Amino acid sequence: MKYGFWLPIFGGWLRNVKDEKMPPTYEYAKKVIQSAENWGYDTTLIAELYLNDIKGTDHDSLEAWSTAAALAAVTEKIEIMTAVRPIYHNPAVTAKMAANIDHISNGRFTLNIVSGWWEGEAKQYGGEFTAHDERYARTEEFIQILKGLWTEDTFSFKGKFYTIEDTKLEPKPVQRPNPILYAGGESEKGKQVISSLCDAYVIHGHKVEEAKEKIDEMKERRKQAGCEPFRTIGMAAYVICRDTEEEAQAELERITTVDDLSGYAGFKDFTTKSELEQKIALQDYSVSNRGLRPNLIGTPEQIAKQILAFEEAGVDLLLLQSSPQLEELERFSKQVMPKVEELRSELAKN
């Protein structure tokens, strides 16, 4: 199992807690990523939203790509996975920017391809928000252009959404043939695009049996598409680690009690503009990305056992959220990561 975390660009992950002591500033983000790198984390995921989906649209948030470039220059080992939404980006310019950041990071820059779900944000920022399957059709062309420019000396493309002619991109990315392209999706069209064009698969928070079913399906789709196996399968999860189960459950109760709906501006668009396989309750949405469903809640040993169950189901990268992020990432690295290895060793002996 590899361990990653969501970079705290919104001021936290809890829609019901106003001040999580994790300000949405570059200085705090830098402190978190440099500390996490020293604690053994493998990856950070930087979400791309121009409005604050967690604390409310009138609150501060960091822009993903400029933050990624800055952090690439002040880190040494950690993978920097940055989201990109084709409805806002020119694919040729994106390919050029990504190659540049890949050089800044010496081959540590990867992309999370997101087709987009927030219509209200798109109206504010000029995104071309179309019907669901058309957004994925745009994504399909977007990825084809990225890969073409990264691998060919000269590349031309003519599609419904994009046209480029005799385009050259130098230097190519450090990673060959291309920076890893992650994506997650639950619709039929989304699964088709991901299984045929992306390199890694990411799921929202799920229960173990849900995760296994989805992963098995996508592995089979990948095989049927004639592609190599996914390089990584990741899952988002929110962690509550405490000395006792009672303390962990008390924290769960605290963070899911809804007193203020200001952080729920995107709830309707997320649940109606996406084609989700599970019905999402308001409690699920109280923590970003359905992070409570994996049930990484309890003592270090309880969480470690759950992680091994997800590993058995096919997950090999956890993308964690916690609050406050700096303190909880340190706790997880010192208490849960070693416990996972200890339990794995014990199972290997039996």
Side-chain angles (χ1 to χ4, degrees), residues 132 186-193 217 221 275:
H132 176 275
E186 301 184 4
S187 67
E188 176 60 30
K189 182 63 175 177
K191 291 174 180 177
Q192 291 172 6
V193 172
E217 177 195 353
R221 284 176 177 264
E275 295 184 9

Side-chain angles (χ1 to χ4, degrees), residues 127-139:
E128 297 186 48
F129 195 90
T130 54
H132 176 275
D133 283 6
E134 190 166 345
R135 296 200 302 277
Y136 268 103
R138 175 188 293 276
T139 295

Side-chain angles (χ1 to χ4, degrees), residues 1 201 203 208 211-216 219 230-235 307-318:
M1 183 68 71
Y201 183 49
I203 60 178
V208 173
K212 185 179 188 311
E213 180 179 354
K214 181 168 292 189
I215 290 167
D216 287 347
K219 284 182 175 179
F230 285 117
R231 294 177 61 175
T232 299
I233 295 178
M235 183 183 72
I307 288 171
L308 288 174
F310 278 111
E311 189 172 272
E312 182 68 21
V315 175
D316 56 28
L317 170 65
L318 288 174

Side-chain angles (χ1 to χ4, degrees), residues 11-23:
W13 305 112
L14 306 175
R15 292 185 168 90
N16 308 325
V17 179
K18 289 187 176 180
D19 185 4
E20 299 181 55
K21 310 300 180 186
M22 41 197 293

